[in-house]
Amino acid sequence: MATVNALLALGAQVVAVSRSAQKYELSQFVHPCGTRGGLSLKSCDVLDRAALAALFKEEAPFDILVSAATGGSRALGPFLEMDIDGFKGSFDKFWGYANVVQLGAPHLSEKGAIVLVSGSPARKPRAGQVALAAVGASVEQFARSIARELAPKRINGTLLPRRPLLSEDTPSQPFQSSLEFAYTRASLCPPPPSWGTLF
């Protein structure tokens, strides 16, 4: 929701996609003009490549592609006691991101940008977060590695602390900055006012 509200506040036309879009209502999202005309909700699983490809083709072209999908369940706890299938399953997030980039990038506008959301365990893992840390680090290195291949399009691997992602409607400052950069770089509008005036 934070991502959608942030982009709506910048004046973007937003297509919000979730595996379970039916659990959301347009009234949950806040448009600065008090309308919901710039938002549509759609269902898709990032691990379903055929469905994802069809969705991107239907919505193309687009200027900003943001992915925060987890892809499924994530394993927590001591690694030596962890079910290895649970550990492997945690990487569904990474494979979802890989699908989003590979299938979505060809439909980006010339100055388009992709934002992949990482998490704090990628850089400062706590005990029991080995799966989260490994997946997050993979996502960030993936973003760095593919950046030259995508140029002049842009890809950002953005650190987003866990709490704002899960429980607040206002994105963290690093995520705000990535959205601002992606939005203004796509030449959709003049540089937006400070985020303090938007939320």
Side-chain angles (χ1 to χ4, degrees):
M1 288 178 61
T3 307
V4 173
N5 285 335
L7 288 170
L8 286 174
L10 286 170
Q13 297 291 314
V14 180
V15 178
V17 182
S18 170
R19 281 179 298 173
S20 50
Q22 65 276 8
K23 72 180 181 181
Y24 297 104
E25 296 180 3
L26 291 179
S27 60
Q28 293 177 265
F29 301 94
V30 181
H31 191 281
C33 298
T35 67
R36 279 21 181 226
L39 172 65
S40 61
L41 302 176
K42 301 208 171 180
S43 294
C44 188
D45 189 328
V46 293
L47 297 178
D48 185 336
R49 286 179 58 86
L52 194 60
L55 176 65
F56 286 146
K57 184 177 180 180
E58 178 184 351
E59 297 298 333
F62 37 82
D63 300 290
I64 305 171
L65 180 55
V66 181
S67 186
T70 62
S73 60
R74 292 171 290 178
L76 295 171
F79 177 72
L80 296 183
E81 301 172 11
M82 187 178 294
D83 176 70
I84 198 64
D85 289 330
F87 181 75
K88 290 178 180 179
S90 299
F91 280 84
D92 282 347
K93 176 176 181 175
F94 176 81
W95 293 117
Y97 281 9
N99 289 339
V100 166
V101 172
Q102 188 177 62
L103 299 174
H107 299 291
L108 278 175
S109 61
E110 183 179 354
K111 292 184 179 180
I114 299 174
V115 178
L116 302 181
V117 179
S118 180
S120 56
R123 302 179 189 178
K124 294 184 178 180
R126 298 178 180 177
Q129 292 184 331
V130 63
L132 298 181
V135 173
S138 298
V139 167
E140 294 189 16
Q141 191 59 43
F142 171 66
R144 294 186 191 100
S145 300
I146 201 172
R148 291 190 179 186
E149 185 176 334
L150 290 179
K153 298 170 184 175
R154 173 87 180 192
I155 182 166
N156 289 354
T158 301
L159 177 67
L160 182 62
R162 185 169 181 267
R163 183 178 298 172
L165 178 63
L166 296 180
S167 64
E168 297 181 13
D169 292 330
T170 304
S172 68
Q173 187 58 48
F175 192 44
Q176 292 169 359
S177 298
S178 283
L179 288 180
E180 282 184 345
F181 178 84
Y183 193 72
T184 55
R185 188 177 187 277
S187 300
L188 300 178
C189 68
S194 68
W195 281 84
T197 66
L198 298 176
F199 295 98

